[in-house]
Amino acid sequence: MRIPFIAGNWKMNMTCQSGIKLVEAISEGMGDTDVEVAVCCPATLLHSIHDALKHTDIKLGAQNMHWEDSGAFTGEISADMLKEAGVSYVILGHSERRQIFGETDDQIHMKLKKAFQKLLTPILCIGETLEEREAERMNEVLETQLQKNTETVTPEEAAKMVVAYEPIWAIGTGKTATPDQAAEAIGLIRKWLSSKYGDTISEQIRILYGGSVKPENTTEIMESEDIDGALVGGASLKAEDFIGIINF
Ligand code: 13P
């Protein structure tokens, strides 16, 4: 049984003050739920948000991490630093990191391995561009990302990871993939995971959809058997919207 998972990706938004207000409003408003909830906030907010989440069931996530333990890597943050801040989840390979900051599949693979080694749960993001989709290359793109990003990931590690399918054309554009499009891609991802790791493992891996998720389209998206939750950008910045998504 996979527990539904809704994670907010704040991206480069919020300050300590506004972030604390937001998580307080979310935890007050969401009520009892069987859904697992996490907020992935900017690095400078992690300690404060961790404190604010202490008496709640909401988990803390980060948005990126370096693959080395320490060293001369100006501007980077290590797994131990995230652990110290109380982080449980770390988003890896977000399309904004891949596209704007040039992260490669190899780097994402190394980050994934480090996260497992340090007992952080990675949320591995994959997805195709509009161009790739229109050229009917979606399958190939997703399979290549999966193959390279999980290259030496063991079955035991894979069982613990979360995968987020985020079609790049649906991120921040207001264009959501139709439930059928999301289900098709996520079905393909689970099939690939099953061919590499076997049915038992692939059935344990939670696969989320991300891209313009809102309270109004969450129910539809969550209807697909293979979709276990959502990675939410813009709508995770407003308590009312995020609560609406959690209580879909
Ligand atoms: P939006 O929900 O703003 O489209 O962002 C999706 C996303 O990138 C989550 O990681």
Side-chain angles (χ1 to χ4, degrees):
M1 243 309 261
R2 300 187 297 269
I3 298 168
F5 183 36
I6 304 286
N9 175 7
W10 292 3
K11 307 192 179 183
M12 196 174 74
N13 293 293
M14 310 308 271
T15 59
C16 282
Q17 216 183 0
S18 58
I20 290 169
K21 268 199 195 148
L22 176 61
V23 292
E24 284 174 353
I26 295 166
S27 80
E28 261 178 50
M30 68 186 226
D32 277 342
T33 174
D34 294 334
V35 173
E36 188 179 348
V37 179
V39 291
C40 302
C41 67
T44 54
L45 276 61
L46 288 170
H47 283 276
S48 311
I49 299 297
H50 181 250
D51 279 351
L53 293 178
K54 239 177 215 156
H55 303 294
T56 76
D57 291 328
I58 303 173
K59 309 258 172 60
L60 184 63
Q63 300 174 12
N64 186 25
M65 185 195 88
H66 197 268
W67 60 85
E68 292 288 351
D69 284 336
S70 63
F73 301 104
T74 302
E76 291 293 330
I77 294 175
S78 73
D80 286 334
M81 294 170 191
L82 297 185
K83 295 279 289 183
E84 189 182 41
V87 165
S88 309
Y89 289 96
V90 58
I91 296 174
L92 295 177
H94 191 279
S95 60
E96 286 149 18
R97 302 267 356 139
R98 294 178 191 257
Q99 291 201 311
I100 307 172
F101 301 102
E103 268 188 24
T104 66
D105 283 318
D106 283 350
Q107 291 171 339
I108 295 160
H109 169 240
M110 290 190 282
K111 290 179 181 203
L112 220 63
K113 288 299 285 183
K114 183 55 68 177
F116 289 125
Q117 186 198 329
K118 297 289 181 175
L119 306 179
L120 288 164
T121 303
I123 302 175
L124 169 65
C125 298
I126 58 172
E128 82 287 0
T129 62
L130 185 59
E131 216 176 31
E132 289 162 345
R133 172 170 278 266
E134 283 174 348
E136 297 185 358
R137 291 187 50 230
M138 179 189 82
N139 297 17
E140 172 204 329
V141 170
L142 296 180
E143 286 177 9
T144 303
Q145 288 173 337
L146 282 168
Q147 188 257 318
K148 291 187 171 170
N149 298 164
T150 68
E151 194 179 346
T152 66
V153 170
T154 66
E156 294 70 31
E157 290 171 338
K160 296 189 197 103
M161 74 179 170
V162 176
V163 178
Y165 168 62
E166 298 207 310
I168 293 166
W169 47 273
I171 295 178
T173 57
K175 267 192 213 162
T176 322
T178 63
D180 282 352
Q181 286 173 322
E184 186 200 353
I186 289 180
L188 186 105
I189 293 168
R190 199 172 303 283
K191 208 165 134 207
W192 188 92
L193 291 167
S194 157
S195 71
K196 174 160 179 179
Y197 295 111
D199 285 348
T200 313
I201 301 283
S202 85
E203 286 301 320
Q204 291 175 56
I205 301 174
R206 289 187 291 182
I207 310 180
L208 316 180
Y209 167 77
S212 299
V213 174
K214 311 182 260 281
E216 306 84 66
N217 58 24
T218 310
T219 309
E220 263 196 329
I221 291 165
M222 292 299 286
E223 258 161 23
S224 162
E225 236 179 71
D226 270 321
I227 304 182
D228 303 311
L231 184 56
V232 186
S236 72
L237 300 174
K238 283 196 204 118
E240 199 189 334
D241 287 349
F242 198 51
I243 292 165
I245 293 170
I246 295 166
N247 297 330
F248 65 90

